[in-house]
Every structure is written in C-alpha cells, then in structure tokens.
Amino acid sequence: MIASEVRALFAVASRPEIVSLAGGMPAVDALPMEAVAATVADVVTRRGAVALQYGSAQGDPELRARICDVMALEGITDAHPDSVVVTAGSQQALDLLTRVFVDPGDVVLTEGPTYVTAINTFAAYQARVVHVPMDDEGLSPAALAQTLARLAADGARVKLLYTVPTFQNPAGITLTPSRRGEVVELCRRAGVLVVEDNPYGLLSFTGAPTRAMRADAPEDVVYLGSFSKTLAPGLRVGWALAPPAVTARLVLAAESAILSQSMFTQLAVERYLATQPWAEQLKGLRELYRERRDAMLGTLAEQMPAGTSWTRPDGGFFVWLTLPDGVDTKAMLARAIAARVAYVPGRGFYADGSGGTSMRLSYCYPPADRVREGVERLARVVRDELALRDTFRS
Amino acid sequence: MIASEVRALFAVASRPEIVSLAGGMPAVDALPMEAVAATVADVVTRRGAVALQYGSAQGDPELRARICDVMALEGITDAHPDSVVVTAGSQQALDLLTRVFVDPGDVVLTEGPTYVTAINTFAAYQARVVHVPMDDEGLSPAALAQTLARLAADGARVKLLYTVPTFQNPAGITLTPSRRGEVVELCRRAGVLVVEDNPYGLLSFTGAPTRAMRADAPEDVVYLGSFSKTLAPGLRVGWALAPPAVTARLVLAAESAILSQSMFTQLAVERYLATQPWAEQLKGLRELYRERRDAMLGTLAEQMPAGTSWTRPDGGFFVWLTLPDGVDTKAMLARAIAARVAYVPGRGFYADGSGGTSMRLSYCYPPADRVREGVERLARVVRDELALRDTFRS
C-alpha cells in the first residue's frame, strides 16, 4: 500500500461503526489524565525557563539517566547516559541512523514482514531492503547466514540488520534467546550493525521482560527505545543507545535534522517517571493488552475457517494472519470495510511484494468485546471470500 | 567552527560570570508561566486522549488554521491549512525540504553570512553551498543574477535559494521590499525554489511586520515559520507553507522522519493562541528586544574603536560586527572569554571560510544592562587586539 492508501484506510477505519484492527495506536485513555495534567503543569511552573527553552541535540541528561534505568529492566545494565540520544520517537532514531550509515544502493536487512514505516525510511535513503524470513522462533539464523553469503558473493554493501526481535510489528513473533546470540554473531562477522527496535519489550504477557539483544552485545547492537507504547506517543519521546562513536554521529545528525528535541516533553516524561507509579501502570497496561490479545486469539480459534493460520504473540500489539492461497487481502479489504471491520493488508510490510495473502491484526486499541466482534466480522468475510474463491475455481 | 567547538563555546558562555552575546536563545522567562502551565494542563484534562496519541504527519488541522491566521499578519492572506505542514521547529522543515529537493552535488544558494545550522543541514545532504553577498538592503539582486549566470554556465544544478530575508540570522539585515520581487523573479526564471525562513518576522521594532516574500509569490516561495521566537522553542513547533505538490512530498518525508509531530505540543500551542493575549505578549517581546538592541547599538557606538563596523537591525536578535583586517575573531575568542564576554566567530556562518574578521552578537537573551556590560568588555578586548596587531605590524 502506498502512503495515501494507508491514510485513506485509517480515515475509514476511524469511523465509529467500524471495528479497527488496523491501527497500532496504544490505549492512552488508560493513562491517569489528572496525574499527567498535574505533571506537565508542574514542569512549566517549576522549570519553565528550561522546559520552554532550546535544549541540547543529545537530550536532557536527567531523562537520559532515567532511560538507562528503564533499559536495565531488560538486562541492559552497562548503559551510560552519555551513550543515549533522545529522539522524536524511535522513528527519528531510525531515520538518523539510516542517514548516518546508509548510502544509496546499500542493503538493509529486515525481517519479512517488517515494520512498514521502517521500509519507508530505508526507501527515503535509497537503500535496498532485503528480507530474511521468520518462523515461530523469529528471524531464522540459517536464512540470515545464507542471505549474508549470497549478498557477499554479489558484492553488495550490507550496512544494517533492522530487527524488532520482541513482539514484532507486524508478526507478533519473538526471537528466542538462543537465536539472539547467533544473529548478533553472524552480523558481527559480516560487519553488519544490528539495529534492535524494541518499542513493545516491556509489554510482555508472560512475566519478566525479554532480555534485550543489546544486553549481551554492547558493541554490535544499537538499541532503539520509545515511550510511545509504555506512556504516550503524543509526547514523541524515544531514544537510541549506541556505541560512543555512533552516538556522536547521531547527535550531529539530530542537530541538523531538528536542532534539539522538545525540552518540555522530555522534562514531562522525566518528571512523570520520577513521581508516578509507572511500574504499576505498566502492569495494568500488560493486563489490558493481554485481555485483548486473549479475545483475539480465542475468537480466531473459534471462528476462522480451516486453512487460515496466525501467530500467537506473548506481548505487544499484533497478530499476523495468513489466509489460504488465492485470497488477496488487499482486494478483500473493501469487503471487510463493508462488513465494518478493518485490518492492514500484508503486502505493505514487505519491500518485495510478498504478503498478499496475509494481514496484520491489532488488538491494542479496541476493548476486548469489540476485538471479539471485529474478529467475528472478519471471519465471516474470510469465509465468504473462500467460498467465492472455491466457486471460481470449480 | 565545527559543532563540537560550538557546543564547547555555549558551555563556557553559559557560566554566570560571562555575558553571553553568543546564543540565539529567546527570552522565554518573559512568558506568563502560570498561563502556560494552565494551558498545557487543560489540554491534557480536556483532550488527553487526542493530545497523548499519535497524530497525522501533516499536523493538527486546527493548529494549521491558526498558523494561517499568524501568516496573515505578514500579508499572506491566501494560505490554506491544507498547504501547511507542521514540523519540529522550522529546522525540521528545512531538513525535509532539503531531503526532498537536493541530491548530492546540487547547489543551494544562501546569503553570506547565513544561519549556521542551515549550512550543516545542506552539508548533511551533500549539497554545495554558494553564498550570495548582502549589503545594507539585504541580498544583492545584481550579485544573485551574476551567480546564477555563472552557475548556469558551469552546468551546476541550482535547487534552492535559502534566505532569511527579515532581520537575518546572523546579520540582522532586512531585504528591502523592492528587492524582494527582484530576487523571486530571478529565481523563478532560473527554476530555483525560494525558501523564505522567517522566524523573526513578527519581532519588528519599527511598527507593522514586513510583508513576507511568499505573500506575492505563492508558487515560487516555500515559507518556513516558527513559534520558537514568538512563543517558546522548547515546544518545537514550526511549519512550512508550500505549493500543494511540495506539501504532499513534505508530508511523506515527515512521516518517514518522525512518523508524526507531538500532538501534545501542537494542541498546547493551538490552545495558547486561542485563549491567551498573544498579540499583546508579542508587543511586550518587541519592546523587550528593542530595549536590548538599543543597549547594544548605543554601547557599540560609544565604545568600539575606529575601523570596526556593524549592522543596525530593525528587529530580531542579531548584530553583525566586522573588525579591521588582520584580526581573527576565532583566535580572539579565548581572550574575550577571559574578559567574561562571549560571541560567535563569523567564519561558522559561511561555507567557504569567509567571515574571519566578523562575529555575530546577540542581544536577545541578556537584560539590557548586561548587554551593555558585555559590549563594553568586548570593546576593551577589541582595542587590545588592535593594539597588539599594530605592535606586530610595526
């Protein structure tokens, strides 16, 4: 899908009669709004002359220290605030990294499928995106090794492996612990920097957070983090943790891109983390999303016809659903909208035109009963679509 | 100066014993902090589910409508909100424009001297910056015509003219009304898009705001605006007004760069403009900066030795001071810091190594008595420097 189509889809999907399983919007209405309001007012009242002024391109030092505490929850215990660059969401971190590392024609490896806006970012710098397949345990090291060997033989310059290893967007799959070291080692040997994009890592439904790839490979992995899913995307506060030489280049790139981040939203996040029971709130978010995930997986199991398959995420926002051959999820979308349910067709998550029989389903935003209703509607559309396909085939 | 030197300079300049005439920080302490605090809290309380959520890459429609009202103050009466893209400060607008229009090796024309971070942005995209000289009436159309002719003869691809026509950074000079049409016409004929960067336009000391170049050339000028100098830079809210085809490309670029702007800071600005006496506050800012400008120009006239010259801004933040030949303002900076005054050496405002005898002086941030004291200290340093120079020459 091209960007205008995605926008049109989201415009349609936002109509109240439609259950949108399309967007990846977090449930910000679960936030304690009075506490947020008090925090932002307090930042202006107490520190307005700083909060409303220009800041440094690297970001507020106190916030960077707190970000290090957040990353410690995922096993990153050696991070220094000097190695953190605060960015306008982790999207900006990805944009700046690509700017720093990627020349036109360079290869960026990604999972297939991968985060749609990452594909756009790589395209903006004229990178060539090459997908590495996943299975239920995440990115396949064997396929990665083959891909690297093939690209090396072709003389391609492979610069980055972009991966969302935990509760992946769009597939909901998590790279297993044993594979994490393998993937990093393969990339290290090939001179490829690993970019670990981890916006969902703290939204695990099964207990302790997954250990970050960066935790065991500080020199080989740039870690991208975000408060968009654990606090609020409307603040646009994310970050990169990188080796010192990379950090320095990211800071320069950030300066030429936007001069400095918003000091106001940075201090708001810093004060919120300092004064609010954020860990408790995260627990509440995990329960809320787990309930919605359960509603989706339960209804898929009850309602989806034979021949369809889907992933079973242990955290995050997304399920990846694949229909039998011969069904095009983009062509089917109009019928789904008519049946008052929306999803994102799978092809947009690939740079190479794959994904035509798949779709991304999000359970993050609608309440559980609406998720159930949406999946029921979708299942009816799929059954009709398969019946239609069979009619044409016979 | 390279970026690390600039950072070191600003770190030193922020020491309390030093009068900094270096930074371009607006006087945010003049803001009514209680009103700002109430506004931001109100945005969260009333519209938290929107303010804290993702927004569109183009920016909030209500804010874009208010931005059109702001631009009407400078004669732009035909702007439609659909042609506005909200950006993280006008710096991001410049970055995105450069990304959209400039390929490596392309030429960007700028005034000489020009805004230092614009040079960095153009460098990030491997553009070649070619300066066009100014006189007291701003960019010289005759010099622009010559430069365009020379570049055309060389086969260079000239993509943009980047100009700060009103109260220029760093020179404080304003392009005269009669020249504005000439400059646009020359660029139109050469197929060069004019980028009018206008962060200071509403900070005039002489009455009505200067008419924007964009007001008379909607198809040929992209206008960049900002609330950084008229409200608060810590919110990072700026914008571009562009012809529709350019707007569409900017929105796509914004999406791949940062996904969406902060809805929270956008709604905060929108509500602030809607509920506060912003026009009155602007009047107060103009008076405050005029007083500081007067302090600087008065003290320069009293104290600076013969052979020095400087510009006389009618608005904005900056004076451009040029010393006699044989003095290097970068080399002199250490002595100025020792004398407890800081400025920015002139060479950083050129891409070609010019400006060695010049410096930018800012009067925007220190109160008038500190501005006076800073210029007195600087004048002593300059007199000593000239005496030293004469000793070596004799």
Side-chain angles (χ1 to χ4, degrees):
Chain A
M1 290 181 108
I2 58 171
S4 58
E5 291 176 321
V6 173
R7 266 195 295 281
L9 166 60
F10 287 132
V12 168
S14 68
R15 286 192 214 141
E17 72 273 19
I18 292 188
V19 176
S20 177
L21 307 174
M25 296 193 299
V28 293
D29 45 6
L31 281 170
M33 291 299 174
E34 292 305 323
V36 177
T39 304
V40 297
D42 190 64
V43 163
V44 173
T45 308
R46 287 175 194 253
R47 298 194 65 201
V50 174
L52 300 174
Q53 191 53 271
Y54 287 110
S56 83
Q58 184 162 9
D60 178 63
E62 289 179 60
L63 175 61
R64 286 189 272 122
R66 284 203 190 275
I67 284 170
C68 291
D69 296 343
V70 170
M71 290 189 291
L73 300 173
E74 297 177 310
I76 301 173
T77 53
D78 65 332
H80 191 281
D82 287 353
S83 298
V84 173
V85 185
V86 182
T87 53
S90 57
Q91 181 70 35
Q92 193 199 15
L94 184 62
D95 181 72
L96 298 176
L97 264 176
T98 310
R99 179 187 303 210
V100 164
F101 283 101
V102 175
D103 295 311
D106 287 353
V107 170
V108 175
L109 301 174
T110 75
E111 285 126 358
T114 190
Y115 170 51
V116 58
T117 313
I119 296 178
N120 295 345
T121 301
F122 301 136
Y125 292 96
Q126 299 170 57
R128 188 180 138 212
V129 171
V130 174
H131 293 294
V132 181
M134 284 184 286
D135 57 26
D136 286 349
E137 300 191 342
L139 193 74
S140 158
L144 175 61
Q146 278 173 11
T147 305
L148 286 168
R150 178 171 56 79
L151 290 165
D154 293 352
R157 287 167 312 187
V158 185
K159 292 288 181 71
L160 306 175
L161 167 68
Y162 170 77
T163 175
V164 186
T166 307
F167 318 134
Q168 203 237 11
N169 180 1
I173 293 171
T174 296
L175 187 65
T176 55
S178 65
R179 281 190 179 181
R180 294 188 174 220
E182 284 182 77
V183 166
V184 170
E185 184 55 31
L186 285 166
C187 287
R188 186 200 337 250
R189 274 193 243 139
V192 173
L193 186 66
V194 175
V195 181
E196 178 182 29
D197 190 5
N198 192 30
Y200 311 103
L202 293 178
L203 298 174
S204 166
F205 307 148
T206 57
T210 310
R211 188 172 172 84
M213 294 172 86
R214 162 61 180 73
D216 300 306
E219 294 303 317
D220 303 299
V221 176
V222 174
Y223 175 100
L224 308 187
S226 175
F227 290 107
S228 290
K229 277 75 184 186
T230 56
L231 188 51
L235 301 172
R236 309 311 294 129
V237 179
W239 69 90
L241 169 69
V246 175
T247 305
R249 295 176 71 186
L250 287 176
V251 170
L252 289 179
E255 194 164 67
S256 85
I258 68 167
L259 208 54
S260 70
Q261 301 298 327
S262 166
M263 278 301 282
F264 175 45
T265 60
Q266 287 186 78
L267 295 189
V269 171
E270 196 282 324
R271 278 298 89 192
Y272 192 84
L273 296 181
T275 61
Q276 298 298 314
W278 184 62
E280 275 307 300
Q281 290 168 17
L282 263 185
K283 213 173 137 189
L285 281 180
R286 284 193 287 262
E287 281 162 19
L288 179 148
Y289 292 128
R290 187 177 52 201
E291 188 197 352
R292 294 175 183 185
R293 188 269 322 247
D294 290 346
M296 180 168 280
L297 291 184
T299 318
L300 284 169
E302 285 161 29
Q303 304 277 337
M304 275 291 154
T308 58
S309 62
W310 56 89
T311 58
R312 286 158 185 83
D314 292 323
F317 286 7
F318 306 111
V319 166
W320 184 251
L321 177 76
T322 301
L323 304 183
D325 284 347
V327 179
D328 185 292
T329 54
K330 190 177 163 193
M332 194 181 79
L333 182 59
R335 277 186 283 274
I337 298 282
R340 293 171 298 133
V341 60
Y343 58 81
V344 184
R347 214 172 264 136
F349 301 96
Y350 287 88
D352 62 5
S354 309
T357 61
S358 296
M359 65 177 71
R360 188 187 75 176
L361 299 178
S362 314
Y363 50 79
C364 48
Y365 194 67
D369 59 333
R370 293 281 286 169
V371 169
R372 227 171 268 121
E373 198 174 341
V375 175
E376 284 168 6
R377 291 176 185 172
L378 180 64
R380 279 194 292 277
V381 173
V382 171
R383 285 193 300 263
D384 290 352
E385 190 78 12
L386 292 178
L388 195 72
R389 181 196 64 161
D390 294 343
T391 307
F392 275 104
R393 279 194 177 171
S394 64
Chain B
M1 287 182 111
I2 58 172
S4 58
E5 292 177 321
V6 172
R7 266 195 295 284
L9 166 60
F10 286 132
V12 168
S14 69
R15 286 190 213 143
E17 73 272 20
I18 292 186
V19 175
S20 178
L21 308 174
M25 296 192 299
V28 293
D29 45 5
L31 281 169
M33 291 299 174
E34 292 303 323
V36 177
T39 305
V40 296
D42 190 63
V43 163
V44 173
T45 307
R46 287 175 194 254
R47 298 195 66 201
V50 174
L52 300 174
Q53 192 52 272
Y54 286 109
S56 83
Q58 184 163 8
D60 178 64
E62 288 179 61
L63 175 61
R64 286 189 271 123
R66 285 204 188 274
I67 284 170
C68 290
D69 296 342
V70 170
M71 291 189 291
L73 300 173
E74 297 177 310
I76 301 173
T77 53
D78 65 332
H80 192 281
D82 288 351
S83 298
V84 174
V85 185
V86 182
T87 54
S90 56
Q91 181 69 35
Q92 193 199 16
L94 183 62
D95 181 72
L96 298 177
L97 266 175
T98 310
R99 180 187 303 210
V100 164
F101 283 101
V102 175
D103 295 310
D106 286 353
V107 170
V108 175
L109 301 174
T110 75
E111 286 125 356
T114 190
Y115 170 49
V116 60
T117 311
I119 296 178
N120 294 344
T121 301
F122 301 137
Y125 293 95
Q126 301 171 57
R128 187 178 139 214
V129 171
V130 174
H131 294 294
V132 180
M134 285 183 287
D135 57 27
D136 286 348
E137 300 189 344
L139 194 75
S140 157
L144 175 61
Q146 278 173 10
T147 304
L148 285 168
R150 178 170 56 79
L151 289 166
D154 292 351
R157 289 167 310 188
V158 185
K159 292 289 181 72
L160 306 176
L161 168 68
Y162 170 77
T163 174
V164 186
T166 307
F167 319 134
Q168 202 238 12
N169 179 3
I173 292 171
T174 297
L175 187 66
T176 55
S178 65
R179 282 191 180 181
R180 294 186 175 221
E182 284 182 78
V183 167
V184 170
E185 185 54 32
L186 285 166
C187 287
R188 185 198 339 247
R189 273 191 245 141
V192 173
L193 186 66
V194 176
V195 181
E196 177 182 29
D197 189 6
N198 192 30
Y200 312 102
L202 293 178
L203 298 174
S204 165
F205 307 148
T206 55
T210 311
R211 187 172 172 84
M213 295 172 85
R214 162 62 180 72
D216 300 306
E219 295 303 317
D220 304 299
V221 177
V222 174
Y223 176 100
L224 309 187
S226 176
F227 290 107
S228 291
K229 277 75 183 184
T230 56
L231 187 51
L235 301 173
R236 308 311 295 129
V237 180
W239 70 89
L241 169 70
V246 176
T247 305
R249 295 176 70 187
L250 287 177
V251 170
L252 288 180
E255 194 164 65
S256 85
I258 68 166
L259 209 54
S260 70
Q261 301 298 328
S262 166
M263 278 300 284
F264 175 46
T265 59
Q266 288 185 78
L267 296 190
V269 170
E270 195 281 326
R271 278 298 90 190
Y272 193 87
L273 296 180
T275 61
Q276 298 298 315
W278 183 61
E280 275 307 299
Q281 289 167 18
L282 263 184
K283 213 172 138 189
L285 280 180
R286 284 193 286 263
E287 281 162 17
L288 179 148
Y289 292 128
R290 187 177 53 202
E291 188 197 351
R292 294 174 184 185
R293 189 269 322 248
D294 290 345
M296 180 167 278
L297 291 184
T299 317
L300 283 169
E302 285 162 27
Q303 304 276 336
M304 276 291 155
T308 58
S309 61
W310 55 89
T311 57
R312 285 159 188 80
D314 291 322
F317 286 7
F318 307 112
V319 166
W320 184 251
L321 178 75
T322 301
L323 304 183
D325 283 346
V327 178
D328 184 292
T329 54
K330 189 176 163 194
M332 195 181 78
L333 181 59
R335 279 186 283 273
I337 298 283
R340 293 170 297 135
V341 60
Y343 58 82
V344 184
R347 213 171 264 137
F349 301 96
Y350 287 90
D352 62 4
S354 310
T357 61
S358 295
M359 66 177 71
R360 188 188 75 176
L361 298 177
S362 314
Y363 49 80
C364 47
Y365 194 68
D369 58 334
R370 293 281 284 169
V371 169
R372 229 171 265 120
E373 200 174 338
V375 175
E376 284 169 5
R377 291 176 186 172
L378 180 65
R380 279 196 292 276
V381 173
V382 170
R383 285 194 298 266
D384 290 353
E385 192 79 10
L386 291 178
L388 195 71
R389 181 198 63 162
D390 294 343
T391 307
F392 275 103
R393 279 193 175 170
S394 66

